[in-house]
């Protein structure tokens, strides 16, 4: 409901998603919403991490700050992709949207590596987190906020068929899952504070989350790189083009079909 409300409030003619200008407005809206949500979460999580002494909460908060940077990249990328074709770029600039997705994928990979390094440091010099009800509330709100942002970006990506927003949605979902794990770990450490082994649980959790983020980043990178490198057309596209071409009188059939993708709404076939 909130997504529909925001789209109606800030995007005129929002139904015309095939229009590059409207697509850019969808991307800009998603970018602004992402920046606002992630900066708020960054501030409250770092505060909660300092209060509890938990490295996993602090790194989770830094992750949100990086997500805000990703949203800025999304905002700029969609804006640049609407530039009209010129002498140097006769097919337009819509592929910039794909480049934006690639950059976000590398940011996800960077987050995974950073979190892994900090978690190993925590294992070498372990300490038990000291969470409280304030920390639990902040983490709970963060989980809900990132889950909403993941759903918001996923719906926006479907509206305009955007791999960039799909990557952003996956990143938000990763954050929601990782924060849920962090919350569970802190509750366990709180309840079983006297168990010696649990002093290592915070660091081990960080390592597990870093591996999950790295796997997700590699998968997202592949999905966003495919249109740039050049991938096979879908069976549906081939059948659609064949049907159109063979509908003309005198055409017996087609062969050697080649399709070039120059953006979400700019495809050439020969």
């Amino acid at each position: 409901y909130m997504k529909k409300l925001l789209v109606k409030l800030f995007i005129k003619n929002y139904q015309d998603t095939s229009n590059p200008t409207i697509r850019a407005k969808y991307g800009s809206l998603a970018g602004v919403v992402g920046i606002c949500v992630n900066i708020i979460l960054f501030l409250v999580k770092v505060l909660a991490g300092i209060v509890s002494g938990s490295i996993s909460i602090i790194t989770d908060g830094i992750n949100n700050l990086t997500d805000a940077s990703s949203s800025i990249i999304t905002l700029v990328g969609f804006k640049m992709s609407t530039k009209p074709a010129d002498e140097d770029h006769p097919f337009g600039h819509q592929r910039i949207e794909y480049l934006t997705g690639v950059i976000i994928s590398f940011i996800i990979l960077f987050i995974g590596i950073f979190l892994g390094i900090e978690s190993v440091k925590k294992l070498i010099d372990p300490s038990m987190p000291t969470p409280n009800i304030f920390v639990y509330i902040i983490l709970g709100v963060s989980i809900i906020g990132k889950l909403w942002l993941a759903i918001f970006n996923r719906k926006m990506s479907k509206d305009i068929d955007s791999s960039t927003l799909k990557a952003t949605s996956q990143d938000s979902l990763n954050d929601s899952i990782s924060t849920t794990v962090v919350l569970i770990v802190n509750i366990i450490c709180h309840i079983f504070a006297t168990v010696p082994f649990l002093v290592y649980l915070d660091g081990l959790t960080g390592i597990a989350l870093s591996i999950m983020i790295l796997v997700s980043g590699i998968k997202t990178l592949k999905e966003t790189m495919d249109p740039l490198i050049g991938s096979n057309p879908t069976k549906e596209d081939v059948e659609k083009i064949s049907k159109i071409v063979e509908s003309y009188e005198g055409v017996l059939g087609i062969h050697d079909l080649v399709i070039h993708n120059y953006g979400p709404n700019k495809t050439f076939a020969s």
Side-chain angles (χ1 to χ4, degrees), residues 39-268:
I39 286 179
I40 293 172
L41 292 179
F42 160 70
L43 294 173
V44 297
K45 276 187 184 178
V46 169
L47 177 61
I50 293 172
V51 170
S52 66
S54 171
I55 183 63
S56 56
I57 295 178
I58 293 175
T59 51
D60 207 26
I62 294 173
N63 185 12
N64 289 134
L65 181 62
T66 312
D67 290 342
S69 302
S70 299
S71 296
I72 294 173
I73 294 171
T74 299
L75 195 64
V76 174
F78 272 98
K79 185 67 176 177
M80 293 178 66
S81 68
T82 60
K83 290 175 61 179
D86 53 35
E87 186 176 344
D88 294 326
H89 308 92
F91 298 106
H93 298 78
Q94 288 192 28
R95 275 185 173 176
I96 291 177
E97 184 180 330
Y98 297 145
L99 287 174
T100 303
V102 171
I103 294 171
I104 292 173
S105 300
F106 275 113
I107 290 175
I108 295 174
L109 291 172
F110 169 79
I111 292 168
I113 295 171
F114 172 80
L115 180 56
I117 293 172
E118 292 302 312
S119 299
V120 170
K121 290 180 181 178
K122 183 72 173 181
L123 278 179
I124 295 172
D125 185 21
S127 61
M128 185 72 80
T130 55
N132 52 47
I133 189 65
F134 168 71
V135 174
Y136 296 154
I137 292 173
I138 287 179
L139 291 178
V141 171
S142 175
I143 291 167
I144 294 171
K146 292 300 286 191
L147 186 59
W148 176 83
L149 194 59
I151 295 171
F152 173 80
N153 282 313
R154 177 70 66 169
K155 289 182 177 179
M156 294 284 273
S157 73
K158 289 182 178 179
D159 285 346
I160 61 174
D161 190 24
S162 171
S163 59
T164 297
L165 293 185
K166 185 178 178 182
T168 305
S169 172
Q170 183 60 52
D171 189 26
S172 297
L173 182 60
N174 289 345
D175 291 345
S176 182
I177 294 172
S178 63
T179 305
T180 301
V181 175
V182 168
L183 175 59
I184 293 172
V185 166
N186 277 268
I187 292 174
I188 292 173
C189 289
H190 191 183
I191 297 174
F192 304 101
T194 57
V195 179
F197 171 77
L198 290 182
V199 74
Y200 298 101
L201 189 58
D202 193 32
L204 290 172
T205 301
I207 292 175
L209 292 176
S210 68
I211 293 172
M212 183 196 74
I213 291 171
L214 286 171
V215 171
S216 173
I218 293 171
K219 180 181 177 182
T220 304
L221 180 63
K222 182 182 182 301
E223 290 178 354
T224 53
M225 284 284 285
D226 278 349
L228 286 173
I229 297 173
S231 55
N232 286 328
T234 64
K235 182 180 179 181
E236 290 77 14
D237 285 341
V238 173
E239 290 177 350
K240 183 178 179 181
I241 293 172
S242 299
K243 186 176 180 180
I244 292 172
V245 174
E246 292 174 353
S247 66
Y248 289 92
E249 185 178 354
V251 176
L252 302 178
I254 67 171
H255 63 88
D256 295 338
L257 174 64
V258 178
I259 299 177
H260 292 287
N261 187 328
Y262 288 94
N265 291 321
K266 194 178 286 290
T267 303
F268 294 84

Side-chain angles (χ1 to χ4, degrees), residues 4-43:
K4 290 182 179 179
L5 179 61
L6 290 173
V7 168
K8 289 180 180 179
L9 281 175
F10 295 104
I11 304 176
K12 293 182 179 180
N13 301 321
Y14 63 90
Q15 299 95 335
D16 188 15
T17 54
S18 61
N19 186 325
T21 302
I22 301 299
R23 280 182 56 82
K25 289 182 178 180
Y26 269 83
S28 297
L29 176 60
V32 170
V33 170
I35 291 168
C36 294
V37 172
N38 283 305
I39 286 179
I40 293 172
L41 292 179
F42 160 70
L43 294 173

